Amino acid sequence: MQINRNILTLDEFTLQQLREFPQATGELSSLLRDIGLAAKRINVEVNKAGLVDILGDYGTTNVQGEDVKKLDIYANTQMMGVLKHGISCAGIGSEELDDVVVFDDEVSNNSKYVVLFDPLDGSGNIDVNISIGTIFGVYRRVSEIGKPCTREDFLQPGKRQVAAGYIVYGSSTMLVYGTRRGVNGFTLDPAIGEFCLSHPNIKCPPAGNIYSVNHGHFFRYNEGVRSYITACQQKTKDNGGPYTQRYIGSMVADVHRNLIKGGIFMYPGTTDKPKGKLRLMYECNPFAFITEVAGGRATNGIQRILDIQPTELHQRSAFFVGSKDMMDELDTHLAKAQ
Ligand code: AHG
C-alpha cells in the first residue's frame, strides 16, 4: 500500500503547529492527541450500538453474562481516563458527573489545563442510528501550578477557552477543534485508525439558508424568536431565501452542518424552561468558541455566550449560534420585540 504523504494526521498536525512556536511546551498538543485517542475508542463502541440486540442492551447483562456499560458512561470513562493518564490536564468537569474531578497527582498538579466536556451528546438518538457527538472546552487554570486545581479553574467564562472541539460520530467520524489560530477538521480514516486533516481552516459562511430549531416548542418561545422563525419561513429568493429547516435533535450534527454550510442553530428558552435545555459549560461555550473563531457568532439572545460568567457547573443557557448575517437578523427581531 502506498502512503499518501500529503495527508496530515491529527498527531502530525498538532506537532507541526507546535514547531511554529518554539516557546510552546507541547501540553495543548498532547492534550488534543489524548482526546483523539478517547474519540477513537468511543467511536468503536458507538459503531457497535446497532448490535445491542445481539451483544446485550446497555445497562444490562449480555448473553455472555457480562455487564454492558451505558454508552454515555463508557464515553465519560474514556475521556476521563485519557486526560488523567496524560501529562496536560489537572482536572475535568463532565456533564455526566455532579462535581469536578481534581486529579491531584504530581504530574497533574503541574499541568496547566482543565477540560470540561459532554462525553456523548444526543445520546437519546443512539438506538435510532443518528449521529451523536462528544464536545469539549479547554481552559488554562487560574490556580497555582504545582497544587491541585480548584473550582475557580472550571468556573471561567467561555472567552477564556484556549481550545474547544467536538467529535461527530456520523456517516464518517470527524474531530473538529479550534484554537485562536483557526478551526480544523479531521476525518477518521478507518484503514489506518487515524484522524486525517480533511477540512483545513474551516470558515463559517457569513450568510446561510439553513435554520435549525425545535418547531414543536414554537408557541412556547418568546415573541422575538417566533418573529424570526416566521421570517425564516417567509424568505424568498428576493431576500436571501428560500431557507430550509433542518433539525435532527443532536446538536453536534446540527451545528456541524451549519458551520460548514452556513446556517443558524437555536435552542431558545421556553415559557416552562426560560433557560432552555443546553448546558453552558459543556455544550454552548465550546460551540460558541469554535463558531466565533470560524467567523460566526453565538449568543443567549441577550449577550455573547463567551462573556457569560458561570455561577454553577451545570447551568443551562438559551443558545443561538451560526452564520454572522443570520445572527444579526435574529438580533433585529429580538430587539424589536423588547
Ligand atoms: P441528549 O444528550 O439528552 O439526547 O440531548 C441532546 C441535546 C442536543 O444535542 C439537541 O440539540 C437537543 O438536546 C435536542 O433537544 P429537543 O429534543 O428538546 O429539541
Side-chain angles (χ1 to χ4, degrees), residues 189-226:
D189 178 351
I192 57 170
E194 292 286 351
F195 284 104
C196 299
L197 182 64
S198 53
H199 295 61
N201 199 19
I202 293 172
K203 295 285 174 211
C204 180
N209 66 359
I210 301 171
Y211 72 103
S212 307
V213 69
N214 187 334
H215 263 284
H217 300 162
F218 184 84
F219 292 106
R220 277 177 277 139
Y221 295 143
N222 68 31
E223 196 188 324
V225 173
R226 280 186 278 133

Side-chain angles (χ1 to χ4, degrees), residues 40-55:
K40 285 191 252 182
R41 290 178 175 160
I42 298 166
N43 181 58
V44 170
E45 291 306 308
V46 168
N47 283 340
K48 284 200 285 198
L51 297 170
V52 286
D53 287 345
I54 304 166
L55 301 178

Side-chain angles (χ1 to χ4, degrees), residues 72 95 118 120-126 132 135 213-215 217 221 247-255 265-267 273 277-278 283:
D72 38 15
E95 206 201 60
D118 179 353
L120 213 52
D121 182 69
S123 49
N125 286 318
I126 293 170
I132 48 181
I135 314 169
V213 69
N214 187 334
H215 263 284
H217 300 162
Y221 295 143
Y247 187 80
I248 199 158
S250 190
M251 181 190 189
V252 181
D254 277 320
V255 182
F265 172 92
M266 300 177 269
Y267 204 108
K273 291 181 185 156
K277 172 184 185 184
L278 303 178
E283 293 164 314

